Amino acid sequence: MNRRLLAGALLAGAFTALALLSLVWTPAPLDLIDITARLQPPGAGHWLGTDHLGRDLLSLLMRGAATSLGVAALAVSLGALVGVPLGLWAAARASWLDELLMRGNDIVFAFPPLLLAVLLSTALGPGAVSAILAVGVFNIPVFARVARGLALPLWQRDFVLAARMAGKGQGRISREHVLPNVAGGLVVQLSLQLSLALLAETGLSYIGLGTQPPQPSWGRMLADAQTLTALAPTLALFPGLAVALAVLAFHLLADGLRERLDPHREAR
Amino acid sequence: MTRLLALLLLVLWLPAPAATLRVALQLEPPLLDPTVGAAAPIGEVVYGNVFEGLVSLAEDGSAQPRLAERWLLSPDGLTLRFTLRAGVRFHDGTPFDAEVARFSLDRARTEGSANPQRSLLAAIAAIEAPDPQTLVLRLQRRDGGLLQSLGSAAFVMVAPASVATNPTAPNGTGPWRFAAWQRGNRIELARFEGYWGERAKLERLQYRFIADPSAAYAAVMAGDVDLFANFPAPEHLAQIRADRRFELGLGLSEGETLLSINHRRAPLNQLAVRRAIAAAIDRQALIDGAMFGYGQAIGSHFSPRHAAYVDLTGQSPHDPARARALLAEAAWPADRVLSLKLPPTAYARRGGEILAAQLAAVGIRTRIENLEWAQWLDQVFVRHDFDLTVIVHAEPLDYGIYGRDDYYFGYRSERVKALLRQLGDQTEDADRRATLQALQRQLSDDAVNGFLFQYPRLLVQRAGLAGVRVNAVGSLELAGATLPGAATAAAADHGAGPRALAWAVLAALGVGLAVLLRRAEPRWLLGRLASLLLTLAVASVLIFALVQVAPGDPARHVLGLQADEQAVAALRAQLGLDAPAATRYLRWMAALLQGELGESLTYRLPVQQLLAERLPLTLPLAGLALLLAVSLALPAALLAARRPGGALDRAVSAASQIGVSVPDFWLGVMGAWLFAVVLRWVPAGGFPGWEAGLAEGLQALALPALALALPQAAILTRVLRGALAELASAEFLRTARAKGASRWRTLWRHALPNAATPVLTLLGLQTAYLLAGSVIVENVFFLPGVGRLLFQGVTAHDIVLVQSLVLVLVALGVSLSALVELAARAADPRLQRRGGGA
C-alpha cells in the first residue's frame, strides 16, 4: 500500500466517520444558542471555540461535514449512475450516437457548476436539492467521457471479440466484460470527483445557494465568519481548514488508487 | 452586439460623476413632511437639510439661532419676541417672513392639527406678526421648555402654498432642495443655490435605506455608500474600523435603552422588587454582550450629553447578593415567571437574552417572547400586556413621559409630577438644571425602570469625508460636508493610465486574433464556429427553460405583495409575459441578435448598461488572475521538471496538491484578514473605479486576483510538470542534450513548446472556470463586477437579468475556449494534420 493511498484512506475515513457520528452525537447540542459564551477562542469547554451565537464550533464542523459530504456523495453518485452507462453505451455503439453524446457533453461542460446552480436556484429555490442537481448534472459528462475513454480500447480486445462471436449482445458484454475492467479507473475518478464536488458544494453554500440554515454547512460558516475576522480569526480558519483537509483526503485517495491500479504510470 | 461594444467603449471614456454624497439610513421615511408625520426617519432626512425651524438645538440641548436671529423673553415670562432673518426664501421662491412663521406655528398648534408634537405648544395663547421681521408669541402661562420645543423637527417653517404637497415634494428653506424620490430605492436632494447661509459644498445628496445588518455591512465594504448614519450592526464595526478606507464617528444618541417594568403588575409595583431587578443588572456585561462595547451606562432617564446630566449609575450597581436579599425581603414567589417581551431589534434580542440570564442568577425567572413591531406595539405599548420589555426611547428630552399616568409602563408619582410642573415654570438655566437633576435622582431612587445604557450613535464614513454635523435631534446636517479629493468643481480623474492600458491590451488581442485566424484552416474554422453557435443556441434554450420554470409571477415579485391586480397586469403586459413560451424565447433571441439584453426588473436599466459598467472590473480581474497563475505555474513546473524526483520536485508537488484542495474564497477571506485587517496593506474590499488611477485599481484587485490565481496555478503546475516529465525521455530531447544544450535550454526551447498543447487546452477550460470563480470571489471582496450583479439578480428573482447574464457568461466561456483551441492548433501543427474537431 503506497503512502498516498494510506494517507488518503485514513483522512477520508476519519471525515466520513465523524460525519456519520455527528448524525447521532455531537460534543454540544447544535441549537444551543448562548450569547454570553459567544466568540470564545479554542479552550477547555469548547475545543475549537464558539461562533457568534455561542454554538460549539467543533459540533458545527462535524455536522457540516455530514452536510457537505452528503451533498457531494449524492451529486457524484448521480453523475456516475447516469454518466457511466452513457459512456459505456457510447463506447459500444461508436456511431452517430457517440458523436451526439460527445456534443451533448460539450454543452453541459459549457456550464460550470456554479452557473448551473444559479439557474437551478432561480427555478427551484436555493437549497441542497439545487446544489446536488447542479453538481450532479455537471458530473454526468465527466463520467461519460471517462467511462467511454476507458471502455473504447477494450472493445478491440480478444476476450470481447470472442464474446461477440459467441453471440452476446452489446449490453451484456458491457456489463459482464467491460465494466469489471474499467471499474478500477472509475473508482479513481469517483474519488477525484468527490473532492471536486466538495469544493463546489462549499462554494455554493458560501454564497447562499447550497444548504440553507439552520442546517450547518462549511461554506455558510465561512460566510458568517468573514465579517468577524477582526474579532475572531479562528472562526474562519477552522471551516476552511476542514474543507481543505477533506478535499485533500479524497484527492490523495484518488492518486493513491491510481498508483495502485497502474504501477507503470507515475503518480503525479 | 455592436451596441454592447459601443457602451463598453463609452465606459472607457466616461468622466467621473458630479460630487454626490451617498448616505445610508436604516429606515425609509413614509413621507417627507415632519409637521404631519412622527416617524423618526422623516426628520433624519429633511430636518436641517430641507426644512429649518426658528431655532436649532446644539448638542447640549441649548437653542441656537436658525431662521430667528435673536429672541427676547419678557421678565414675566409670558411674551417671547423673535427677530427673524431677512432675505430668506423657500425653494419655490416664496419669501419667508413673520406671516409665514405665524402661519406655520398656528397650523401646528390648532385643534385638530396633524402635528405630532402639538401639545408642546399648548402654552401659546396667540401669535402676532407686527412686521415682516418680528414674531411675537403671547403665552397664557410660563413655559421654560418652549424655546427648546421650537427646535423640534415638528415645528419647521412651511410655506402656505405648498403644505399639501410637502409630504411627497418638500418645499423648505434649507441648504438642500428636494430633487427626486424613488420609493423603495432612494431620495435625492440637490444643492439650493439661493440659500440664505453658506452654500452646500457638494452638489447632490443621495439617501438609501438599508436596515439589514449584513446588507449594511456589504454596502459599506463595497463602497456603495459614503456615509452610514446609524449603522445597524455593531458586531461588524471592528472589521470596518480595521479597514483603512473608513472612519468611525462614535458618540451617543438621544435614545435611553431601558428594561421597562410594568408597574400595573404585582409585585413589580413594590420598590424592593424593582431595586432588586436594578441590582441584578450588570450594565457593562450587557453593553459588551449586546452592543459589542458601544454605548454608555446610565443610571436614570437622561442623556449624558446634556449639561444637566448627573451620573447615577453608582446608585444601582451590580450586586447580586443585595438583589437576593431584597427579593427575600419582598417575599418574591419562587415560581413566578415574568414575561419578557422583545421587539425585533438586535439590541433587544441580544440584550434580552443577557438580561434573562442575569435575572435568573438572582432567582427571577423570565420567559422570553420575541415579537414583531406590530405585535409589540399592540401588546406592550397599547394593551400594556407585559411584565418586562427592552426598548430604546429615542425622542430627545422625553423625561415628560414619567408624568403621564397612562404611559405604557404605568408609573405614577406625585413628586415627579410636581418636579415637572416646576420645570415648566422655570426659564433660568441654573434653576432648570437643578430641577432636572432632582428629577433624575427621583427616577433612580424609585427604580422606575431598569436604566441600562444610552444607545450609541454608530456613524461609519469614508476616510477623508469631512464636515458632517450631527444635530441634537439625530439627523445629519450635510451642508458643510466635503468628499476627499473633490475640492474643486471638476473631480480629479486619473483614468488616463488605465484607459491607455485597456486600449493597448485590446489592440494586442486584436492583432493576435488576426494572426491566429490567418493561420487557421478555413474548413476547421467554419466547423468550429458552427459548433460554437450550436452550443450557444442549445445553452440559450436550457437557460430560458430553467429560468421560466421559476415559481411565482415575476411581475408580482417586482411590485411587491401589496400591489393591486391592475398594476401587476400592466407590468405583465409591458414585459410580454402573457405570450406563450416559444414566442417569448424567439423574442429574446431576436433582441439578443440586435444587442438588446433586456431590461433588469430590479434596476430598471438595460442589462447591457449594467454589464458595460461591470465588465471593466470582471474581465481585468480574470485576466490578472490568469496572468498570475501562469507566472506562478511556469517557473514552478520548470524547476520541478529539471530534476524529476528531486527535492524541489517533491516540494512543488506537495504544494500544488495543497493548492488544488484549498477553496479560493477561503484564501480570499484569510488573505483579506492578513493583508487588510492585520497589516492594512490593501483595502479589504470594494473597487475605487479605474478613474482613481491604475495603481489604485490594481491595488484593489491584487488580493482577489491572487485568491483566484493560486488554485489555478496549482492545477497548471501539476499538468505542466506532468507533461514535461513525460517528454523527459523523448528522443529529440536526448539529442539536444547530446549536442551540448544545457538542461535549461533543453527545457525551455525544446520541451516546453511541446508541452504547451495540453496546457493550452487546460487554460481554455480554466478560463471558463475563472469567470465562474470570479462570481464567488467578487462576493468575498464586495467588488461591483458581473459576478455580484448575477448574485444580486438571483436573490432579487430578477429573471431577465439572470437569464441574460448567464448566457453572456456561458458565451464568454465557450468563446474563450474556442480561441484557446485556435491558439493550440497554431502552436502545434500536428493538431491541424489530425483534422476534424479535437
Side-chain angles (χ1 to χ4, degrees):
Chain A
M1 212 181 246
N2 63 68
R3 268 205 330 238
R4 279 180 214 235
L5 185 56
L6 191 62
L10 278 175
L11 257 180
F15 268 106
T16 318
L18 278 175
L20 288 171
L21 180 63
S22 81
L23 294 172
V24 291
W25 174 85
T26 51
L30 286 169
D31 47 8
L32 185 65
I33 295 183
D34 183 9
I35 306 261
T36 52
R38 144 189 96 193
L39 296 178
Q40 306 260 356
H46 300 275
W47 288 9
L48 294 179
T50 57
D51 75 351
H52 58 289
L53 289 176
R55 297 181 294 197
D56 179 41
L57 208 59
L58 181 57
S59 311
L60 287 174
L61 279 178
M62 282 172 64
R63 183 54 75 87
T67 314
S68 298
L69 280 175
V71 168
L74 281 171
V76 172
S77 308
L78 173 64
L81 283 171
V82 177
V84 169
L86 274 177
L88 290 179
W89 190 27
R93 290 279 162 151
S95 66
W96 58 272
L97 209 65
D98 186 27
E99 259 316 297
L100 189 68
L101 208 68
M102 289 303 108
R103 289 292 132 237
N105 273 355
D106 281 340
I107 289 172
V108 182
F109 265 140
F111 286 86
L114 180 68
L115 290 185
L116 256 180
V118 163
L119 289 173
L120 283 169
S121 301
T122 317
L124 304 170
V129 174
S130 306
I132 294 172
L133 277 176
V135 180
V137 165
F138 187 79
N139 269 290
I140 295 177
V142 175
F143 279 104
R145 223 172 231 190
V146 169
R148 177 183 171 280
L150 286 170
L152 212 49
L154 284 177
W155 280 88
Q156 316 300 327
R157 295 279 293 277
D158 287 340
F159 66 96
V160 170
L161 288 170
R164 287 184 73 178
M165 274 195 277
K168 284 195 185 167
Q170 279 172 343
R172 254 182 95 180
I173 297 180
S174 294
R175 268 199 321 274
E176 290 173 15
H177 297 281
V178 178
L179 188 54
N181 282 288
V182 302
L186 284 178
V187 168
V188 172
Q189 197 65 31
L190 257 171
S191 189
L192 193 60
Q193 292 306 117
L194 254 173
S195 75
L196 294 174
L198 268 173
L199 268 179
E201 191 277 337
T202 320
L204 288 176
S205 314
Y206 172 78
I207 53 173
L209 294 182
T211 328
Q212 297 293 300
Q215 271 274 62
S217 70
W218 286 338
R220 193 75 247 154
M221 288 168 72
L222 260 173
D224 289 335
Q226 183 186 347
T227 60
L228 297 166
T229 55
L231 291 172
T234 52
L235 212 55
L237 187 66
F238 289 130
L241 271 179
V243 176
L245 279 174
V247 174
L248 186 65
F250 285 100
H251 212 151
L252 280 174
L253 189 62
D255 276 353
L257 280 171
R258 189 187 292 135
E259 217 180 287
R260 183 119 204 283
L261 292 168
D262 186 2
H264 300 294
R265 275 180 57 179
E266 188 191 337
R268 295 188 201 134
Chain B
M1 250 341 99
T2 40
R3 211 167 301 189
L4 177 59
L5 266 173
L7 260 165
L8 193 60
L9 295 176
L10 195 67
V11 166
L12 290 175
W13 285 112
L14 270 179
T20 305
L21 186 69
R22 298 160 304 166
V23 186
L25 295 173
Q26 281 192 39
L27 297 173
E28 185 177 12
L31 42 85
L32 296 176
D33 183 354
T35 65
V36 299
I42 303 176
E44 277 170 27
V45 175
V46 299
Y47 183 64
N49 292 321
V50 178
F51 287 114
E52 299 171 301
L54 291 173
V55 300
S56 62
L57 297 175
E59 283 243 336
D60 63 357
S62 62
Q64 304 294 319
R66 195 69 184 237
L67 289 178
E69 274 182 342
R70 54 188 183 281
W71 49 86
L72 193 61
L73 185 65
S74 64
D76 65 358
L78 295 175
T79 309
L80 190 52
R81 182 180 293 262
F82 290 95
T83 306
L84 304 178
R85 231 172 262 280
V88 177
R89 283 186 182 273
F90 282 85
H91 302 146
D92 66 354
T94 315
F96 168 74
D97 57 24
E99 265 307 313
V100 173
R102 183 166 76 89
F103 167 80
S104 301
L105 291 179
D106 272 338
R107 175 173 169 264
R109 68 188 188 94
T110 337
E111 191 82 33
S113 123
N115 196 301
Q117 306 282 14
R118 191 176 80 88
S119 57
L120 290 179
L121 299 182
I124 303 178
I127 308 182
E128 292 156 21
D131 66 69
Q133 249 70 54
T134 309
L135 186 74
V136 181
L137 303 183
R138 303 235 178 257
L139 310 180
Q140 55 198 349
R141 56 174 165 79
R142 293 158 66 94
D143 184 349
L146 182 61
L147 198 56
Q148 281 163 325
S149 301
L150 286 172
S152 159
F155 303 127
V156 292
M157 297 290 111
V158 294
S162 47
V163 286
T165 50
N166 272 341
T168 49
N171 173 36
T173 60
W176 300 95
R177 63 175 171 77
F178 173 75
W181 185 5
Q182 283 173 24
R183 282 196 192 253
N185 198 351
R186 59 182 66 167
I187 296 178
E188 299 214 0
L189 305 179
R191 175 166 64 199
F192 178 45
E193 307 292 345
Y195 185 55
W196 58 263
E198 206 175 299
R199 237 169 50 128
K201 302 231 172 25
L202 295 169
E203 289 172 22
R204 282 185 96 84
L205 288 181
Q206 236 180 46
Y207 285 87
R208 20 186 120 184
F209 309 100
I210 309 171
D212 177 63
S214 324
Y217 178 72
V220 167
M221 293 304 276
D224 287 344
V225 299
D226 299 309
L227 178 62
F228 209 122
N230 42 4
F231 192 71
E235 62 269 25
H236 295 141
L237 283 176
Q239 200 82 4
I240 294 176
R241 178 185 253 148
D243 192 320
R244 61 188 203 176
R245 293 176 295 160
F246 308 112
E247 284 166 357
L248 298 185
L250 301 172
L252 295 175
S253 73
E254 284 295 319
E256 291 82 11
T257 317
L258 308 183
L259 173 67
S260 300
I261 303 173
N262 192 349
H263 291 239
R264 297 182 189 82
R265 298 263 173 105
L268 296 171
N269 52 353
Q270 290 185 49
L271 182 59
V273 169
R274 293 199 305 273
R275 286 210 176 130
I277 291 177
I281 297 173
D282 180 355
R283 292 190 186 91
Q284 199 51 51
L286 184 64
I287 294 174
D288 289 339
M291 301 297 297
F292 287 77
Y294 298 102
Q296 181 172 334
I298 51 175
S300 183
H301 193 110
F302 208 76
S303 165
R305 297 193 313 171
H306 284 249
Y309 173 74
V310 55
D311 182 358
L312 294 165
T313 51
Q315 306 294 96
S316 48
H318 175 56
D319 191 344
R322 182 157 178 265
R324 272 185 232 109
L326 282 166
L327 285 173
E329 188 188 302
W332 177 260
D335 57 350
R336 182 93 162 82
V337 178
L338 297 175
S339 69
L340 175 54
K341 301 202 175 182
L342 304 173
T345 54
Y347 71 81
R349 297 287 167 93
R350 284 193 195 126
E353 297 257 359
I354 298 172
L355 283 167
Q358 290 177 351
L359 288 171
V362 301
I364 301 177
R365 290 160 60 196
T366 52
R367 182 187 67 245
I368 292 182
E369 286 178 44
N370 291 323
L371 306 177
E372 295 303 315
W373 273 121
Q375 292 172 303
W376 187 89
L377 280 169
D378 176 53
Q379 291 181 33
V380 175
F381 203 70
V382 173
R383 291 195 288 122
H384 314 148
D385 176 18
F386 73 104
D387 292 318
L388 302 170
T389 187
V390 177
I391 189 74
V392 170
H393 287 244
E395 282 284 328
L397 305 168
D398 58 349
Y399 40 76
I401 57 177
Y402 290 94
R404 288 165 51 178
D405 288 345
D406 59 338
Y407 207 58
Y408 74 95
F409 44 73
Y411 172 68
R412 286 167 195 241
S413 163
E414 286 313 314
R415 175 93 178 94
V416 166
K417 286 185 198 149
L419 281 171
L420 288 171
R421 274 195 299 271
Q422 186 179 318
L423 194 63
D425 260 352
Q426 293 167 322
T427 50
E428 289 304 309
D429 274 345
D431 296 335
R432 290 181 68 80
R433 195 172 308 161
T435 312
L436 284 170
Q437 288 181 353
L439 180 62
Q440 290 172 64
R441 286 207 176 79
Q442 184 62 38
L443 295 175
S444 167
D445 286 345
D446 261 354
V448 182
N449 290 315
F451 299 108
L452 305 176
F453 56 89
Q454 194 72 14
Y455 199 84
R457 189 184 342 106
L458 305 170
L459 191 96
V460 175
Q461 64 182 39
R462 249 175 78 173
L465 176 62
V468 174
R469 226 174 63 82
V470 184
N471 63 28
V473 214
S475 69
L476 299 172
E477 300 206 26
L478 299 168
T482 53
L483 281 171
T488 51
D493 178 17
H494 300 288
R499 267 184 238 126
L501 188 63
W503 280 116
V505 170
L506 279 173
L509 284 175
V511 167
L513 189 62
V515 168
L516 284 175
L517 284 173
R518 247 173 37 109
R519 289 181 65 172
E521 291 175 351
R523 236 183 44 175
W524 178 86
L525 207 56
L526 249 84
R528 197 68 185 80
L529 199 63
S531 162
L532 191 70
L533 287 172
L534 184 67
T535 310
L536 282 179
V538 176
S540 69
V541 173
L542 267 169
I543 296 172
F544 184 79
L546 275 172
V547 169
Q548 297 300 328
V549 162
D553 182 356
R556 199 171 285 280
H557 268 295
V558 172
L559 293 173
L561 294 164
Q562 274 98 8
D564 59 85
E565 291 306 313
Q566 265 190 332
V568 175
L571 188 58
R572 282 184 67 87
Q574 187 190 328
L575 295 174
L577 287 172
D578 288 322
T583 321
R584 279 184 280 141
Y585 173 74
L586 287 171
R587 273 195 211 142
W588 182 42
M589 282 293 111
L592 262 172
L593 289 171
Q594 292 170 26
E596 303 273 349
L597 293 166
E599 186 183 276
S600 157
L601 296 174
T602 38
Y603 292 88
R604 306 301 215 144
L605 291 169
V607 175
Q608 54 262 38
Q609 185 181 325
L610 293 168
L611 249 186
E613 286 168 14
R614 284 144 200 272
L615 276 176
L617 190 147
T618 304
L619 287 180
L621 176 64
L624 194 60
L626 199 59
L627 206 64
L628 277 172
V630 172
S631 348
L632 283 170
L634 205 57
L638 282 173
L639 278 172
R642 221 167 84 82
R643 272 183 226 278
L648 209 55
D649 184 20
R650 282 208 297 271
V652 167
S653 172
S656 63
Q657 183 104 43
I658 297 174
V660 173
S661 313
V662 173
D664 47 18
F665 53 94
W666 181 58
L667 276 176
V669 171
M670 299 314 301
W673 172 70
L674 180 62
F675 293 108
V677 174
V678 173
L679 293 171
R680 307 194 77 165
W681 285 356
V682 287
F687 185 65
W690 291 114
E691 316 79 70
L694 191 61
E696 259 72 20
L698 283 177
Q699 208 176 45
L701 290 183
L703 210 46
L706 195 63
L708 262 178
L710 281 174
Q712 302 297 328
I715 299 178
L716 272 174
T717 310
R718 288 167 76 78
V719 172
L720 187 57
R721 184 226 164 271
L724 285 171
E726 254 189 35
L727 287 169
S729 50
E731 287 230 356
F732 70 94
L733 283 180
R734 274 194 270 149
T735 316
R737 290 283 284 148
K739 277 169 64 183
S742 73
R743 234 192 259 266
W744 273 119
R745 204 173 146 75
T746 321
L747 268 177
W748 182 258
R749 271 225 75 201
H750 298 281
L752 196 54
N754 285 282
T757 318
V759 173
L760 274 175
T761 326
L762 183 67
L763 267 179
L765 266 176
Q766 294 304 95
T767 323
Y769 272 92
L770 261 178
L771 276 175
S774 69
V775 169
I776 298 187
V777 166
E778 280 177 21
N779 276 288
V780 177
F781 291 96
F782 306 99
L783 296 171
V786 179
R788 255 194 112 216
L789 182 65
L790 178 63
F791 185 59
Q792 282 163 343
V794 173
T795 326
H797 236 89
D798 188 342
I799 58 171
V800 178
L801 189 62
V802 171
Q803 202 168 282
S804 301
L805 276 185
V806 174
L807 188 60
V808 167
L809 282 173
V810 169
L812 267 174
V814 295
S815 314
L816 283 168
S817 300
L819 276 174
V820 173
E821 225 184 292
L822 189 63
R825 286 175 72 89
D828 187 352
R830 292 177 296 174
L831 285 174
Q832 289 188 4
R833 264 183 270 123
R834 261 186 237 145

